[in-house]
């Protein structure tokens, strides 16, 4: 069984994101970049499926600048077998990524795509759902448990107020939630070994995909600073302030 694992290069989760001075986006120059944390969880799940003997090959894919090879290498060091970089320097919206992944699915014929539920830079939470829709495949989103057997994936999903378990006929798309697993750190020997694993580089046009954005970002702004709180001496004072200052009651 073959697994495709998309991994996105994003601003590292420890970095405080700053808006560019001209309000066109967020600053990424000289900022630490890493693999999207939910994608690390997806890679870990894929590697565990391989360790259990369920999967035989894991292909890690990233769409983005040449530097996204670093995130593919991280996936290779964690246990993926080979990588594909779909090189593109501009903005890639979820629909463009989903079309790119659809074209790679046609080429690679994986049985399962395991990806993150959401990228922490744009918080779209859309690519997995769009990919499943474009392929006409089943989807198990927000997965906190995945079992694969007999041509089916049983996925426990984190839904509002509880858990839902669905059975998907393969091929299917699964998106990883936070509690699915705890990703491993790549060991030094595995980092060294990953250097020798192959990464194929293609362009969106080679896959027949036009990645041009369909949305125009008008302006990006920092959220307003929170006002300092104040202590009140009594319930009466609180009610008075809520009524006359905040005007909420
Ligand atoms: P999003 O819909 O942007 O929140 O992203 C959801 C998931 O789609 C991510 O966790 C990745 O697994 C995948 N993804 C999104 N953008 C890319 C990209 N440029 N390259 C590879 N995978 C991506």
């Amino acid at each position: 069984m073959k697994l495709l694992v998309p991994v996105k290069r994003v601003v590292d989760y420890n970095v405080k994101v700053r808006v560019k001075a001209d309000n066109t986006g967020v600053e990424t120059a000289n900022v630490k970049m890493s693999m999207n944390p939910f994608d690390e969880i997806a890679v870990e799940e894929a590697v565990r499926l391989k360790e259990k003997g369920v999967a035989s090959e894991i292909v890690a894919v990233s769409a983005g600048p040449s530097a996204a090879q670093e995130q593919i290498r991280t996936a290779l060091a964690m246990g993926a077998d080979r990588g594909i970089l779909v090189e593109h320097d501009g903005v890639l919206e979820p629909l463009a990524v989903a079309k790119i992944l659809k074209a790679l699915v046609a080429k690679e014929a994986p049985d399962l795509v395991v990806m993150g539920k959401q990228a922490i830079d744009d918080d779209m939470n859309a690519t997995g759902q769009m990919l499943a829709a474009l392929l006409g495949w089943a989807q198990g989103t927000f997965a906190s448990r995945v079992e694969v057997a007999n041509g089916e994936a049983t996925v426990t999903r984190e839904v509002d107020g509880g858990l839902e378990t669905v059975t998907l006929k393969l091929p299917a798309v699964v998106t990883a939630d936070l509690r699915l697993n705890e990703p491993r750190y790549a060991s030094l020997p595995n980092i060294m070994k990953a250097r020798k694993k192959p990464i194929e580089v293609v362009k969106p046009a080679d896959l027949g995909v036009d990645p041009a954005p369909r949305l125009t970002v008008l302006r990006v702004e920092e959220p307003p600073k929170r006002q300092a709180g104040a202590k009140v001496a009594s319930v009466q004072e609180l009610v008075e302030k809520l009524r006359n200052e905040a005007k909420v009651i």
Side-chain angles (χ1 to χ4, degrees):
M1 190 170 115
K2 192 180 200 178
L3 307 182
L4 193 72
V5 188
V7 297
K8 186 175 187 186
R9 177 181 171 85
V10 297
V11 173
D12 187 88
Y13 74 98
N14 284 309
V15 171
K16 181 169 176 346
V17 170
R18 277 176 298 114
V19 171
K20 278 189 193 162
D22 62 1
N23 294 94
T24 56
V26 299
E27 196 58 75
T28 53
N30 302 318
V31 169
K32 181 172 182 226
M33 305 293 282
S34 298
M35 187 194 299
N36 182 43
F38 293 105
D39 303 352
E40 283 185 3
I41 297 173
V43 174
E44 174 65 36
E45 198 62 20
V47 174
R48 290 187 190 187
L49 285 170
K50 192 173 171 196
E51 285 170 347
K52 279 191 215 156
V54 176
S56 49
E57 190 184 21
I58 302 169
V59 184
V61 180
S62 193
S66 169
Q69 296 203 29
E70 288 167 22
Q71 282 61 49
I72 297 177
R73 286 275 169 230
T74 305
L76 297 176
M78 287 173 73
D81 297 287
R82 61 188 171 88
I84 304 175
L85 170 70
V86 183
E87 197 176 345
H88 181 71
D89 280 326
V91 172
L92 283 170
E93 288 170 359
L95 185 58
V97 177
K99 287 179 181 171
I100 286 169
L101 294 175
K102 182 187 177 207
L104 287 175
V105 163
K107 205 167 147 225
E108 294 285 339
D111 301 280
L112 189 64
V113 179
V114 195
M115 52 204 288
K117 70 161 182 180
Q118 131 184 14
I120 62 162
D121 52 359
D122 53 21
D123 278 338
M124 292 285 188
N125 176 16
T127 311
Q129 293 88 332
M130 285 180 174
L131 175 64
L134 290 177
L135 291 167
W137 285 10
Q139 57 181 288
T141 49
F142 311 106
S144 62
R145 192 180 162 87
V146 178
E147 307 249 354
V148 181
N150 308 322
E152 285 182 346
T154 305
V155 177
T156 304
R157 309 182 55 229
E158 303 221 358
V159 292
D160 276 352
L163 299 172
E164 176 187 59
T165 304
V166 292
T167 307
L168 318 174
K169 273 217 165 64
L170 300 182
V173 176
V174 168
T175 73
D177 212 322
L178 197 62
R179 276 167 282 269
L180 182 58
N181 60 48
E182 246 184 64
R184 70 195 63 192
Y185 288 103
S187 65
L188 192 58
N190 286 343
I191 293 172
M192 302 307 281
K193 265 191 236 157
R195 290 193 185 166
K196 296 211 183 82
K197 293 184 181 175
I199 299 180
E200 184 189 348
V201 182
V202 297
K203 300 266 182 198
D206 302 332
L207 300 169
V209 176
D210 172 9
R214 296 174 164 222
L215 305 174
T216 310
V217 175
L218 300 179
R219 194 174 162 79
V220 177
E221 284 176 28
E222 297 257 0
K225 292 251 177 323
R226 273 185 75 175
Q227 303 280 324
K231 276 195 178 165
V232 288
S234 66
V235 173
Q236 280 85 347
E237 193 189 339
L238 174 65
V239 171
E240 192 270 328
K241 279 186 186 291
L242 288 174
R243 185 167 292 143
N244 301 323
E245 277 182 30
K247 297 193 186 346
V248 290
I249 57 170

